[in-house]
Amino acid sequence: MSHVPACLNATEEDIQLLLSAKAHLGAQNADSHMLPYVHKRRDDGVHLINPVKTWEKLVLAARIIAAIEDPHDICVISSRQYGQRAVLKFGVHTGTQAIAGRFTPGNFTNYITRQFKEPRLIIVTDTRADEQAIREASYVNIPVIAFCNTDSSLKHVDVAIPINNSGKHAIGLGYWLLAREVLRLRGTLSRDEAWDVMVDMFFFRDTEEVKKDLEGAGEKPEEGSNWEAAEGGAAAAALANAAAGGNWDPAAAEGDWGNEGAAPAADWAAEGATNSGWGA
């Protein structure tokens, strides 16, 4: 990027991160507007995205985000499951609003709704999954920054970031690089020091994987086995005490239960006798 300062150029480490996260792998189909970002097409039909173009668009998007005075006027949206954790982390570190999950229709157009917002800029993860948000933004003239694959539509998109928005690692890395660049442009983070936030925090994690990790670490023992062990220990202790003392009498116990059950019956009979005056 000769038209920008040298500090904004991509480093070898940044390019390696994009390649290791498979952010350069596109789809087998390519939109005509995404062809300038395609490096070449493999023999199996998969289009390869130029990682240098991806970095240039990330820097451009970060400059736009940093130019907005109030970060709360920016909405980061992801209806895809792979990008929900990334947008939440991006919102925490940059101060923007995050909408993870289903986008409620009317968020940008119907002021009666509870979740009505008037952002100055929105960032979406997928132009297909977040099509409702893009359409409403076009109604009220809100600029749109979108993560776009080679087959993504650029309708109503102002800044397209070419990246593999189908992989969880590529989406997480994209938002991590974007958040880091925004903090650098704001002056919060120096370019000479590494960001202490790990990129893994932006990756989507399946609940089954989390459970397996907890079970492997032994942090969450099974509750059923503890309850059964406690119940069995209590029963064994009661039997041992009865055997040692020899005072437990089954007949006496049965008599007590019988007497306990007979008392309420007598009370009910007496109550019926006292209430007989109502009929008279």
Side-chain angles (χ1 to χ4, degrees):
M1 294 189 300
S2 59
H3 55 284
V4 297
C7 61
L8 297 180
N9 292 332
T11 62
E12 184 179 356
E13 182 182 359
D14 297 331
I15 300 299
Q16 288 180 353
L17 286 174
L18 290 172
L19 296 177
S20 61
K22 299 181 179 180
H24 65 293
L25 297 182
Q28 292 186 349
N29 299 326
D31 190 85
S32 60
H33 296 91
M34 291 296 296
L35 289 178
Y37 306 111
V38 176
H39 174 60
K40 67 175 184 179
R41 188 176 185 179
R42 294 193 314 196
D43 296 337
D44 56 356
V46 175
H47 293 81
L48 300 180
I49 301 173
N50 190 346
V52 178
K53 301 278 189 178
T54 303
W55 176 259
E56 291 179 358
K57 284 308 188 75
L58 282 172
V59 172
L60 176 61
R63 294 171 66 183
I64 296 172
I65 296 171
I68 297 178
E69 299 177 357
D70 188 3
H72 201 66
D73 290 337
I74 304 173
C75 279
V76 193
I77 304 168
S78 176
S79 299
R80 292 178 60 93
Q81 192 176 19
Y82 283 174
Q84 293 179 7
R85 185 178 185 185
V87 299
L88 291 173
K89 293 295 182 181
F90 183 87
V92 168
H93 294 291
T94 60
T96 57
Q97 299 185 68
I99 302 178
R102 181 179 179 271
F103 180 83
T104 305
N107 266 359
F108 300 153
T109 55
N110 189 0
Y111 66 91
I112 301 177
T113 59
R114 279 183 167 183
Q115 301 175 351
F116 176 70
K117 299 177 180 62
E118 292 181 297
R120 296 179 57 188
L121 174 71
I122 67 169
I123 307 170
V124 299
T125 307
D126 189 357
T127 56
R128 285 194 181 90
D130 304 319
E131 191 266 341
Q132 178 69 27
I134 296 175
R135 188 191 302 121
E136 292 190 11
S138 68
Y139 293 160
V140 291
N141 297 326
I142 300 175
V144 177
I145 298 175
F147 284 11
C148 300
N149 209 331
T150 57
D151 59 346
S152 299
S153 174
L154 300 187
K155 186 178 181 181
H156 303 309
V157 174
D158 298 283
V159 177
I161 301 176
I163 197 171
N164 176 18
N165 59 4
S166 300
K168 58 182 179 181
H169 296 131
I171 294 175
L173 177 63
Y175 276 107
W176 184 82
L177 291 173
L178 187 61
R180 187 189 66 175
E181 193 62 29
V182 169
L183 295 178
R184 286 177 174 178
L185 291 174
R186 289 177 179 172
T188 308
L189 181 66
S190 175
R191 295 187 178 274
D192 299 331
E193 60 180 359
W195 196 19
D196 56 354
V197 177
M198 297 181 61
V199 67
D200 299 0
M201 300 299 295
F202 285 70
F203 291 163
F204 167 78
R205 294 194 64 187
D206 190 7
T207 54
E208 297 296 332
E209 295 179 1
V210 176
K211 289 181 180 179
K212 289 181 181 179
D213 294 343
L214 292 177
E215 291 177 359
E219 297 180 3
K220 187 178 180 181
E222 296 181 1
E223 298 179 357
S225 59
N226 294 340
W227 180 81
E228 292 174 359
E231 185 182 11
L239 291 176
N241 293 335
N247 297 327
W248 182 64
D249 188 2
E254 292 178 0
D256 295 338
W257 282 102
N259 295 333
E260 185 178 356
D267 296 337
W268 280 104
E271 185 178 357
T274 55
N275 292 339
S276 58
W278 287 96

